[in-house]
Amino acid sequence: PCNLTGWWKNDLGSKMQVFKVSNDGTFSGEYHTAVSSAKKPIQPSPLTGSQHLDEDGQCTFGFTVNWKKFSDSTAVFVGQCFSGDEGKEVLHTSWLLREKVDTEPDDWKATR
């Protein structure tokens, strides 16, 4: 079965550390992004999530990252863990990022 605990790295050089997945699938950790449009220096950001623990190990999961240390935005990621070549675990994810806007008419440009 897929074990999310540990360090993960994506194609852009961002890294995530999942501290421990509990028996009910919940987990926490830190996200170290390599990309940002924020004006403040990038800092590790807390993440919380949940993993669906399937018997076949090809589990789905989701987590939220609060960029509060350097940005007014929040991101959510959803994905699935696959056993790739030679048993190496690979995560495939999609994400949404919500940035703070000052007025309701600007809502259209707040989510990527």
Side-chain angles (χ1 to χ4, degrees):
C2 179
N3 183 355
L4 292 179
T5 302
W7 283 96
W8 298 89
K9 182 178 177 184
N10 72 13
D11 296 338
L12 298 175
S14 296
K15 292 185 267 184
M16 146 176 106
Q17 182 181 20
V18 175
F19 299 139
K20 182 182 179 194
V21 179
S22 68
N23 290 339
D24 67 357
T26 58
F27 60 90
S28 64
E30 282 189 332
Y31 200 93
H32 302 246
T33 188
V35 294
S36 172
S37 61
K39 302 204 183 335
K40 294 180 181 177
I42 295 173
Q43 296 185 43
S45 300
L47 68 84
T48 57
S50 181
Q51 176 181 1
H52 186 84
L53 304 171
D54 288 339
E55 291 177 15
D56 67 359
Q58 307 294 316
C59 64
T60 58
F61 60 90
F63 60 91
T64 302
V65 179
N66 186 335
W67 310 108
K68 65 184 176 182
K69 294 181 178 182
F70 65 94
S71 175
D72 288 333
S73 62
T74 302
V76 293
F77 294 76
V78 293
Q80 184 171 347
C81 182
F82 295 93
S83 291
D85 296 336
E86 300 173 16
K88 182 179 178 183
E89 294 171 336
V90 177
L91 307 182
H92 285 265
T93 61
S94 297
W95 56 270
L96 289 172
L97 176 82
R98 176 64 188 218
E99 294 181 298
K100 178 184 166 188
V101 292
D102 294 326
T103 65
E104 186 177 359
D106 288 334
D107 183 63
W108 67 272
K109 65 180 181 179
T111 302
R112 291 191 250 166

